[in-house]
């Protein structure tokens, strides 16, 4: 099959450069595995690196070499054309994964596929010559489409000849389908095995596997593929669920089974894990290897994994009870990490110290922000520093609350305090119920916390069972909780200090200092105290009155910092927090190549850099991190050399510090990504370039001193006074109108 040789040459060169930039070392594991053979689980790249590139494309297959374990196998779902040529495609309906309907708009047909009437474009209606100008595209719409049209359809023999260094897995999904077209899949597969080494052949059809058993190399493993438990296997007319109970029969024609992952770890209707089944143990007792399918970093996984795909893989290979013998994944980099770097760490004493793991509102990916449960989870998950963003109540009590507007983080909208909401333009343009509108008792005794869902517009929600779990905490409660925990420090974030001083009559800086004094933090050295703010005036005041570590948070995305601004920051701060985009700029979710490096500029003047905000939800990450929170952390730590990460999921960041693949011998897949690397692979139109980010200047940093605390008290805020006046005026006007109408 032909395609522009120039396009393939360009793409091949770009991928080769990307491969070389990632390094060439390989991970070594000497541990014992609970697989049937005792060897490490096999990683199979389903259709190549199909989570990013079109499934079964040259791009997808080549990228496996660059970003996966060197022994990763590549898989090909085999289909036959009208003239008997085998091709690799992810689906029997070509319209889902190719441009076939553009080339042959009249080619749609309807066929019986294993008893199901199926409409679409089928390979059996086209010759290999017909398909020369048909290219591959992403079959999952949520994935990037910028690589569509870059690769022709790959013949099976081309895949086998071009990727001789990789193990190859061929899957034959519908052998019986071809008999109605006088095509013989069995003969085709047997002819392939005489020319090429085929490591695995799988099929969900018993007759096909029995027909080739004993006729292929003894080194070729035959794997029986289980479909949905209620589906009917066409050869035996039994359900796959019933066949699962007769594995000794399966052993007569196969050496392994391939099952959907929920056969092993089923989930509830609301997507929480149930106890694991006996499938792996039963299969191993029957002498069958077990391969699990259905892994993809950008699809919904059980809430138990906290949107961390690496945690899911580890539950299948390193749970202390069993290990599957292999996994099929759209993102083979993540199982490569799991097998090569993160397994068998329970007894490990490795701790790479960096990055400093700083929680963001506690473990807010699992529990409502700033609740006792969020902080307990953060400590249990290994956070080095837990944080408290300070707000103030109507009765002048400093509390830990991620938003000054209770509408954002509590159920106040459904409470007796929902009305009247007020608009304070200094804070936000829409009405809210603010912390200083209610007393501590109002909040703690009448409201419930509400878990944050920053990715809800993508229909991704955090831990629904915990959405209202936990108790609110005063600053004093937070300090008392943290003091005896295994932490390197605490971080207190102070914002809107000027507003509180002028409008509420509350000196938040003084209140924080007093709380730290009262709790004994000013007289201890076991835990460092960090004060963070986007306002230099706040940090200047703390510097004048305390010796705490001061962290300047750069709120906006900036490309770099002017030397004068660096000098200004050094006067009052001992570290800086910067946004992810300030470290790695993006355009349409792709990292861009950069000439300036804000992190390097800050570190060059002795300022440690903490990057915010890291989240596990894959939609929050640029494509270059492969929908993998661990790859994202690795990029910032190893690539940008940041000193700390501020994250909603401290457990993921803490586990990263324990991995066994750091340093000069790190394997390819643990090399940091190269910004702009994926953009260089694109053939043709690229995403539109993002507008250049501004430079941080001294005028952005320098602020006037905080205003003195006014005589206004939080019990009588301007918002309340204005609201009462507005209400009184409205009543007066209504009475006047009524009187006028009566006089008339």
């Amino acid at each position: 099959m032909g395609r522009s040789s120039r396009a393939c040459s360009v793409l091949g060169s770009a991928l080769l450069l990307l491969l070389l930039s990632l390094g060439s070392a390989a991970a070594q594991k000497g541990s014992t595995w609970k697989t049937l053979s005792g060897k490490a689980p096999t990683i199979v790249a389903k259709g190549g690196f199909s989570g990013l590139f079109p499934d079964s494309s040259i791009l997808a297959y080549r990228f496996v070499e660059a970003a996966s374990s060197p022994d990763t196998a590549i898989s090909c779902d085999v289909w036959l054309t009208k003239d008997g040529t085998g091709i690799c495609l992810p689906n029997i309906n070509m319209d889902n994964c190719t441009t076939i309907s553009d080339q042959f708009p009249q080619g749609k047909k309807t066929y019986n596929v294993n008893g199901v009437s199926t409409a679409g474009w089928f390979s059996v209606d086209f010759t290999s010559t017909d398909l020369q100008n048909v290219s591959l595209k992403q079959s999952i719409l949520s994935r990037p489409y910028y690589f569509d049209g870059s690769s022709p359809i790959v013949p099976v023999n081309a895949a086998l000849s071009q990727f001789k260094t990789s193990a190859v897995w061929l899957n034959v999904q519908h052998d019986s389908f071809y008999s109605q077209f006088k095509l013989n899949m069995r003969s085709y597969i047997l002819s392939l095995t005489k020319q090429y080494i085929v490591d695995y052949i799988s099929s969900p059809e018993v007759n096909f596997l029995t027909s080739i058993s004993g006729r292929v190399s003894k080194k070729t493993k035959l794997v029986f593929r289980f479909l949905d438990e209620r589906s009917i296997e066409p050869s035996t007319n039994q359900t796959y669920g019933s066949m699962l109970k007769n594995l000794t029969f399966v052993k007569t024609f196969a050496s392994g089974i391939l099952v959907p992952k929920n056969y092993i770890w089923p989930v509830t209707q609301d997507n929480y894990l149930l106890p694991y089944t006996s499938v792996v143990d039963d299969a191993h007792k029957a002498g069958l290897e077990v391969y699990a399918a259905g892994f993809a970093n950008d699809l919904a996984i059980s809430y138990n994994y906290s949107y961390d795909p690496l945690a899911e893989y580890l539950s299948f290979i390193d749970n202390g009870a069993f290990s599957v013998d292999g996994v099929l994944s759209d993102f083979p980099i993540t199982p490569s990490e799991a097998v090569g770097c993160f397994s068998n760490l329970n007894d490990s004493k490795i701790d790479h110290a960096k990055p400093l793991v700083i929680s963001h509102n506690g473990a807010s990916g699992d529990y409502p922000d700033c609740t006792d449960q969020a902080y307990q989870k953060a400590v249990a998950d290994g956070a080095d520093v837990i944080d408290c963003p300070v707000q103030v109540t109507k009765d002048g009590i400093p509390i830990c609350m991620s938003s000054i507007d209770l509408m954002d983080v509590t159920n106040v909208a459904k409470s007796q305090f929902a009305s009247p909401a007020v608009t304070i333009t200094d804070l936000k343009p829409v009405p809210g119920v603010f912390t200083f509108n209610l007393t501590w008792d109002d909040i703690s005794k009448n409201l419930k916390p509400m878990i944050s869902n920053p990715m809800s517009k993508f229909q991704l929600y955090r831990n629904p069972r915990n959405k209202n779990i936990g108790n609110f905490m005063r600053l004093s409660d937070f300090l008392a909780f943290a003091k005896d925990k295994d932490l390197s420090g605490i971080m207190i974030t102070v914002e809107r200090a000027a507003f509180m001083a002028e409008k509420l009559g509350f000196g938040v800086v003084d209140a924080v200092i007093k709380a730290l004094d009262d709790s004994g933090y000013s007289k201890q050295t076991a835990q460092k105290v960090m004060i963070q703010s986007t306002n230099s005036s706040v940090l200047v005041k703390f510097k004048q009155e305390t010796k705490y570590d001061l962290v300047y948070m750069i709120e906006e995305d900036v490309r770099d910092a002017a030397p004068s601004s660096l000098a200004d920051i050094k006067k009052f701060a001992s570290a800086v927090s910067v946004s992810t985009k300030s470290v790695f700029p993006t355009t349409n979710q792709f990292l861009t190549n950069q000439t300036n490096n804000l992190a390097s500029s800050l570190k060059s003047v002795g300022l440690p850099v903490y990057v915010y905000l890291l989240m596990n939800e894959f939609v929050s990450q640029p494509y270059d991190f492969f929908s993998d929170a661990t790859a994202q952390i690795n990029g910032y730590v190893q690539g940008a050399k940041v000193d700390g990460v501020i994250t909603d999921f401290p457990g993921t960041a803490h586990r990263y510090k324990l991995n066994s693949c750091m340093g000069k011998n790190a394997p390819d897949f643990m090399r940091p990504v190269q910004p702009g690397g994926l953009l260089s692979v694109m053939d043709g139109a690229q995403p539109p370039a993002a507008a250049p980010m501004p430079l941080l200047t001294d005028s952005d940093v320098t602020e006037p001193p905080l205003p003195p605390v006014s005589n206004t008290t939080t019990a009588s805020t301007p918002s309340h006074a204005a609201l009462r006046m507005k209400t009184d005026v409205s009543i007066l006007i209504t009475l006047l109108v009524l009187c006028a109408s009566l006089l008339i």
Side-chain angles (χ1 to χ4, degrees), residues 91-93 109-122:
N91 198 290
I92 193 171
N93 185 355
K109 299 285 182 65
T110 300
Y111 292 120
N112 184 301
V113 181
N114 283 6
V116 179
S117 181
T118 305
W121 281 255
F122 296 83

Side-chain angles (χ1 to χ4, degrees), residues 385-386 478-479 482 488-492 516 521 527-530:
V385 176
I386 59 174
F478 169 83
L479 296 174
S488 63
I490 58 171
M491 176 182 279
I492 298 174
L516 289 166
Y521 266 92
Q527 294 179 1
K528 64 179 177 181
V529 175
M530 306 163 72

